[in-house]
Amino acid sequence: MAGRIFVPEGYKAKLGIIETEIAIKKIKDFFQKELAKALNLTRVSAPLFVRKSSGLNDDLSGDEEPVGFNLKNDGNSRIEIVHSLAKWKRLALKKYGFKPDTGVYTDMNAIRAEEEFDNTHSIYVDQWDWERVITEEERNLDFLKDIVRKIYGVFLATDKFLDDEYEHYKRLLPDEVVFIDSQDLEDMYPDEPDPERREALYSKEKKAIFVLRVGHKLKSGKEHGKRSPDYDDWNLNGDLIFWNPILNKEIELSSMGIRVDPKSMDEQLKIANCEERKNLRYHKMLLNNELPLTIGGGIGQSRICMFFLQKAHIGEVQSSVWPKRMREECKKYGINLL
């Protein structure tokens, strides 16, 4: 370990800075085109900030304070930089009149000021946020798995694209993603209390996994991971996780799920002790069945580039702000931060 970062033994980036920038563009262009095709999505513009009173911001685990400011030209109303667009997309699908089996994707840029710095975490978040309208009959695990397989197919296509594009490139992904329920994962490793360690152990074996049902407490009395109660249905969601051979650990590249309906949101708000949110405009619309049923998620752009280009630090594929000690350690070990 070097401070808060892990330095792979003998690490040397395969591409220089300019070559890396070119490769990032190639990956992003290819991936988003294939994603839109696989899920029948239309690209739309998205906000960098929303009104606090709208209830549209993503509360993540519920403890993070969003970056914000008061809007002087609007009675000093409170404005928040988005954490993600989990709720905004669903409102957009209604506003734009999308029908089942169609949806949107967008470039989501966010600031998560309370994020802990390490090899894969930055206070700047860039991802593709996507959302698609579904029917009542599609609110089930089989449909969720079908969508995950389609998205995984985009990852496989990107893996092959880079193999064709670069002589030094070696394919990283297995042919299929393996699904596992979060409770089954806990049962599999009864002596491992840390959910991330369980993910690491299983993804090292299978290389690509999707952990189902994140949010509810498991038999141990702890959640596999914390989730905001008002966008994913905790029984119909999950995380896509790959084994990263450079860092010798797991890396989460996407979180997604079938979204709450009125019943599941009401239940989850009670569990999370957040029933006051029912008074927010977005939540009132959802409880009144004024929003379409949807499935959606986020796919980390920089993390995808980091994984496929086999970089040791996310700062090698995105320009952000890093602690002085981290910058010094990275420079010392030949990790070139943008």
Side-chain angles (χ1 to χ4, degrees), residues 36-41 89 93 98-104 130-135 138 143 146-147 150 259 292-297:
K37 188 191 306 179
L39 298 185
N40 196 21
L41 306 175
K89 293 173 296 180
L93 289 173
F98 279 83
K99 303 300 181 185
D101 301 324
T102 67
V104 299
W130 63 273
E131 199 84 9
R132 181 169 133 154
V133 180
I134 63 174
T135 64
E138 291 171 329
F143 181 77
D146 182 57
I147 293 295
K150 288 180 178 179
R259 306 309 196 184
L293 298 174
T294 64
I295 183 172

Side-chain angles (χ1 to χ4, degrees), residues 16-257:
I17 291 178
I18 299 302
E19 292 173 311
T20 295
E21 293 280 21
I22 293 170
I24 290 169
K25 179 72 161 55
K26 288 181 179 180
I27 291 171
K28 289 187 177 182
D29 286 350
F30 182 87
F31 192 95
Q32 67 179 327
K33 180 181 177 182
E34 294 299 310
L35 178 68
K37 188 191 306 179
L39 298 185
N40 196 21
L41 306 175
T42 300
R43 189 190 182 283
V44 297
S45 298
L48 176 60
F49 36 76
V50 295
R51 295 178 188 277
K52 181 177 181 178
S53 61
S54 69
L56 287 175
N57 207 355
D58 182 352
D59 296 283
L60 301 177
S61 66
D63 299 321
E64 297 84 353
E65 184 70 25
V67 176
F69 57 93
N70 293 328
L71 189 61
K72 293 181 180 179
N73 295 327
D74 188 41
N76 268 351
S77 58
R78 189 65 179 169
I79 305 298
E80 296 179 344
I81 307 296
V82 296
H83 277 151
S84 85
L85 298 170
K87 300 168 192 166
W88 176 87
K89 293 173 296 180
R90 193 167 180 179
L91 193 62
L93 289 173
K94 171 183 172 62
K95 181 178 179 180
Y96 301 157
F98 279 83
K99 303 300 181 185
D101 301 324
T102 67
V104 299
Y105 80 97
T106 190
D107 289 289
M108 191 284 297
N109 297 294
I111 299 172
R112 297 181 183 175
E114 298 183 28
E115 195 72 78
E116 293 287 337
F117 290 103
D118 60 22
N119 292 66
T120 61
H121 289 86
S122 169
I123 60 171
Y124 169 60
V125 179
D126 58 337
Q127 65 185 37
W128 288 292
D129 260 36
W130 63 273
E131 199 84 9
R132 181 169 133 154
V133 180
I134 63 174
T135 64
E136 179 66 43
E137 291 72 30
E138 291 171 329
R139 294 194 81 259
N140 58 73
L141 278 178
D142 286 340
F143 181 77
L144 172 62
K145 290 180 180 179
D146 182 57
I147 293 295
V148 172
R149 291 188 185 100
K150 288 180 178 179
I151 292 174
Y152 188 69
V154 177
F155 278 95
L156 287 176
T158 306
D159 203 17
K160 182 180 185 304
F161 166 72
L162 292 171
D163 189 38
D164 294 337
E165 197 77 9
Y166 295 100
E167 287 186 6
H168 70 268
Y169 189 83
K170 294 182 180 179
R171 300 281 290 273
L172 296 165
L173 295 173
D175 291 339
E176 296 182 355
V177 61
V178 176
F179 294 91
I180 185 164
D181 188 274
S182 58
Q183 184 60 65
D184 292 337
L185 193 59
E186 183 181 69
D187 294 342
M188 188 180 296
Y189 303 105
D191 298 324
E192 182 49 73
D194 184 356
E196 290 188 1
R197 280 294 302 148
R198 297 197 290 266
E199 291 175 350
L201 290 167
Y202 197 59
S203 62
K204 186 174 184 179
E205 176 187 349
K206 300 298 183 181
K207 308 307 178 191
I209 65 173
F210 189 84
V211 181
L212 293 158
R213 296 196 315 114
V214 179
H216 281 299
K217 288 184 178 180
L218 304 175
K219 293 176 184 176
S220 63
K222 298 180 179 180
E223 306 92 344
H224 181 81
K226 289 187 178 294
R227 288 293 187 275
S228 184
D230 47 13
Y231 58 95
D232 280 353
D233 185 322
W234 294 344
N235 290 312
L236 298 169
N237 69 350
D239 296 330
L240 182 62
I241 298 162
F242 295 168
W243 177 250
N244 187 330
I246 288 292
L247 297 181
N248 197 36
K249 71 186 297 291
E250 82 290 353
I251 183 169
E252 179 191 313
L253 293 179
S254 180
S255 178
M256 69 188 82

Side-chain angles (χ1 to χ4, degrees), residues 1-7 118-119 313 326 329-330 333 335:
M1 297 294 293
R4 289 288 298 166
I5 65 168
F6 169 77
V7 180
D118 60 22
N119 292 66
H313 193 286
M326 179 175 284
E329 292 290 345
C330 286
Y333 290 98
I335 297 173

